[in-house]
Each structure stands twice: as structure tokens, then as C-alpha cells.
Amino acid sequence: MPPSQLRKTRASAAGAAPSPALGAPGRRPTPAPAVEQVDTGYLETLIGYNARRAALAVIDRFMVRMAAFELKPVDFSVLSLITHNPGITSRQLCNALGILPPNLVGMINALERRKLIVRQPHPRDGRAVGLHLTGTGQKLMRDAERTALEVETDASQSLSATERQTLIRLLKKIYL
Amino acid sequence: MPPSQLRKTRASAAGAAPSPALGAPGRRPTPAPAVEQVDTGYLETLIGYNARRAALAVIDRFMVRMAAFELKPVDFSVLSLITHNPGITSRQLCNALGILPPNLVGMINALERRKLIVRQPHPRDGRAVGLHLTGTGQKLMRDAERTALEVETDASQSLSATERQTLIRLLKKIYL
DNA sequence: TATTGTTATACTCTATAACTATA
DNA sequence: TATAGTTATAGAGTATAACAATA
């Protein structure tokens, strides 16, 4: 998904220029204009638009680099939470990542088939299953988290260290 | 999609705690721990993770408010670009929004059936079609853009005006 | 030959209902 | 009765190939 061509130009002076209102029957003052340079100025004033574009840009880089580990972003998130929360349950993963339980089952099964994680009985709840990394999984995640750090550095290379911290702080204020 | 429960706690001191490495045959020192509070500290250090969570949070608000206009985020983006770029072509929309042409066709058809837009022949390219708002579409978009502004205010209520500007500026540095 | 718009189609992601076993 | 995990399935979003009309 190439989100190219997102420069700002004034083709229609965003917000002004009432334009002739086509569709009104029997009226067509101008012979239909053509757009030379697309003006995305208005959308660029919206936080949601900018946050989504930024997220997609970083995630695209992330996917390219993580392909070497055969991990999609969601797989990495799941394995990372298991790494830092040994014994975490599927339900806890779903709550933390906003995934619905039926959609997590397949991912967990695939990671288990790859011998990256194992299911252990939960110590206090017979319904639940605790998830743990295998040795293989631990090794993979050490490499994967190092690569994730490289992606971060790449993606934020136009930001100073302070700006990067500020960006993360402000993003958290939006979603927390 | 409720991305609830994303508080930080130290269940495993992120990055430390080598943990017993399950899966190694015939070795099981600890009786499988349980996780009380999920530690998302590591993921929260990643720009991609934070940007995606923030984008989803804002877009969720957006979808709730825009339901009154029967507009999804992508519909709003398309209509907004047509608003500020009368005569824009499908190809230009695809390039600006990162949508693939086959996936835009249905949206354009639906918006045309709702009498919000009309197709006009392109003044200089017989293959292309220029897109324009109807009077109905213009009225809808005046209300929709006002609502979008309210969503912005809502979503960024925990940010100062300066912080909001800073956030957008830093996000652009990520994806531009 | 290349591009615009389009159809058909496949694949992925996300969502809902319902079942089982445990609590 | 409520919850954890699971199955089946439906729907939305995203992807590629190929075609007709025009450049």
C-alpha cells in the first residue's frame, strides 16, 4: 500500500471557494475543472488522519524487517507480551491488544506449531491456559526485539531524541 | 473493538527476568506462574504501537459521530478531497489516500447513488472522469466537517493547543 | 505502449453466535 | 450464572489479474 503523493498545494484554497454546486438541474456555469495538484491540506489538520498515516508508515517498515522472522506486527505484539508476561492467558492478550478471542486462536496455534510458545496449565484457574516462550521463542524474540529497535531508529530518524519522547508522550495522552 | 486495559505495571520488569525457558525437555523449575497485571511497558516504547493505538482511538470516536451522516472514515476522506479538489479523478484519489483502484469503484458508486457526488467528463483526458459534489453533498460535508472538528476537540481534550500542533507536526515528520 | 476506470476474484482481517468445560 | 477457550461463519478490508476505452 503506497501512500505516496501527499504534498500540500493550493488547488482550491481549502475551505473557501464555494464551487458551482453541480447536480442542480439545468445549471452548469463552468466546463468542469481539472485538478493539477491534489490539495490534502484539510485532512492534514486532523489528528486521526495523521496518526493513521504515521502508524501505517512505521508498520510498513516494521513488516519488511520482520518478514525475516516470519512475524506480522500482531504476532510480534503477542510474543512480546508473552516475553514480558510469562504465563499470560489468551484472554489477557485479547484485552491488552484489542483482539477478539476467536481471532487469537489461530495465531496461538500457529506460534505453538512453530515451537515458539507452549501452553501450560494455569496454576489457579482450570479453564485458563498460561502461555510461555520456548527456548527457541526466547532466542527469536531477542533478535526480533533488537530488529524492532532498529526499525524505531529508522522510522524516527527525522526526529530528535527529545521529539521522539514527546511524540510518544502525546500519543499516549490521546489513547489512554 | 475495545482496546481497553492498557495500564502499565511491573509484573516482570520488562526486558530483565530471563524466565525458566520452558520447552527444554525434562526441566520445569517453577510451577508455571500466573500474570496478575499485564505489563505492556515494552510495546509502549514503540512509535508504531502508540501511533496505531492513538489512530484507532480517534477513529473510533470519529466513526461513532459520523454514523449520523452514514459516512465511514474513508468515505469522509474521499468526500473531503472532492470538496477541496473539485474535478479530482479516481486515480488521484487513490494516490492521495493509498486506496487501490478496484476498491474505490464501489465507494464512488455508492456516493453517486446517494446523490452526494456526480461524475463529469474530464476536460482534457477522455479516459478520466472528474468528481464533483452535488448541492446535497456540499451541505452534508459542511455539517460533516463541523462534526469532524468536534471530534478533534474531543479527542485532543487532554492536550493543549500547542501540544496538539506539536503532535501533528511530529506525526508528519514520521510519514512524509 | 501506457494509463484510466472497471470487473472478477482471492486473501486477510474483523466480528457474531454458539458450544464445552470449568468457576 | 458467569468466564476461558474454542468452532464455525459472516462481513469488511485489501490484494492481483485482466479487460475496454483512450492517450
Side-chain angles (χ1 to χ4, degrees):
Chain A
M1 86 203 47
S4 50
Q5 188 164 333
L6 192 56
R7 306 286 159 232
K8 73 191 60 169
T9 44
R10 297 295 107 159
S12 74
S19 77
L22 297 169
R27 179 156 56 92
R28 192 164 303 150
T30 53
V35 174
E36 303 304 330
Q37 272 288 72
V38 175
D39 172 17
T40 54
Y42 173 76
L43 289 179
E44 286 176 34
T45 67
L46 302 177
I47 292 178
Y49 177 82
N50 287 290
R52 180 160 186 277
R53 297 300 295 240
L56 289 178
V58 178
I59 290 169
D60 277 354
R61 285 172 182 270
F62 192 91
M63 285 195 294
V64 170
R65 298 294 303 275
M66 286 296 164
F69 304 103
E70 294 180 83
L71 294 180
K72 283 171 294 185
V74 63
D75 298 316
F76 176 85
S77 298
V78 165
L79 286 178
S80 181
L81 284 180
I82 298 175
T83 301
H84 300 293
N85 301 272
I88 192 174
T89 68
S90 291
R91 182 65 52 165
Q92 287 175 313
L93 279 175
C94 287
N95 288 340
L97 295 175
I99 303 170
L100 291 170
N103 301 329
L104 184 65
V105 176
M107 305 179 207
I108 296 295
N109 286 339
L111 295 173
E112 193 179 31
R113 272 194 300 272
R114 290 173 63 185
K115 304 267 194 273
L116 298 176
I117 63 173
V118 288
R119 299 174 203 234
Q120 296 276 117
H122 191 283
R124 293 192 316 279
D125 189 337
R127 299 166 300 181
V129 181
L131 301 173
H132 303 259
L133 288 189
T134 62
T136 308
Q138 289 184 8
K139 181 176 182 326
L140 183 86
M141 281 309 285
R142 274 194 294 274
D143 296 341
E145 289 195 344
R146 179 162 46 238
T147 299
L149 191 63
E150 291 171 14
V151 172
E152 283 295 297
T153 307
D154 270 18
S156 61
Q157 65 184 4
S158 59
L159 273 63
S160 71
T162 306
E163 284 179 324
R164 185 178 177 283
Q165 278 190 313
T166 301
L167 174 56
I168 289 178
R169 180 175 60 81
L170 296 179
L171 286 171
K172 281 185 185 166
K173 292 180 83 165
I174 294 288
Y175 74 79
L176 280 183
Chain B
M1 102 208 24
S4 49
Q5 188 164 332
L6 191 57
R7 305 287 158 227
K8 72 191 61 170
T9 44
R10 297 295 108 156
S12 75
S19 78
L22 296 168
R27 180 156 54 95
R28 191 164 304 152
T30 52
V35 173
E36 303 303 330
Q37 273 287 74
V38 175
D39 173 16
T40 55
Y42 172 76
L43 290 178
E44 285 176 33
T45 67
L46 302 177
I47 292 178
Y49 177 83
N50 286 289
R52 179 160 186 276
R53 296 299 295 239
L56 289 177
V58 178
I59 290 169
D60 277 355
R61 285 173 182 270
F62 192 91
M63 285 195 294
V64 170
R65 298 292 303 276
M66 285 296 164
F69 304 102
E70 295 180 81
L71 293 180
K72 282 172 293 185
V74 64
D75 299 316
F76 176 84
S77 298
V78 166
L79 286 177
S80 180
L81 284 180
I82 298 174
T83 301
H84 301 293
N85 301 272
I88 192 173
T89 68
S90 291
R91 181 65 51 164
Q92 288 175 313
L93 278 174
C94 286
N95 288 342
L97 295 174
I99 302 171
L100 292 171
N103 301 329
L104 183 67
V105 175
M107 304 179 208
I108 296 295
N109 285 340
L111 294 173
E112 193 178 32
R113 272 195 301 272
R114 290 174 63 185
K115 304 268 193 274
L116 298 176
I117 63 173
V118 287
R119 300 174 203 234
Q120 295 276 117
H122 190 282
R124 293 191 315 279
D125 189 337
R127 300 166 300 179
V129 181
L131 301 173
H132 302 260
L133 288 190
T134 62
T136 308
Q138 288 183 9
K139 180 174 182 330
L140 184 86
M141 281 308 285
R142 274 194 294 274
D143 295 341
E145 289 194 344
R146 180 162 46 238
T147 299
L149 191 63
E150 292 171 14
V151 171
E152 283 294 297
T153 307
D154 269 20
S156 61
Q157 63 182 6
S158 58
L159 272 64
S160 71
T162 305
E163 285 179 324
R164 185 178 178 285
Q165 277 190 314
T166 301
L167 174 56
I168 289 178
R169 180 176 59 82
L170 296 180
L171 286 172
K172 281 184 185 164
K173 292 180 83 164
I174 294 289
Y175 75 80
L176 280 183

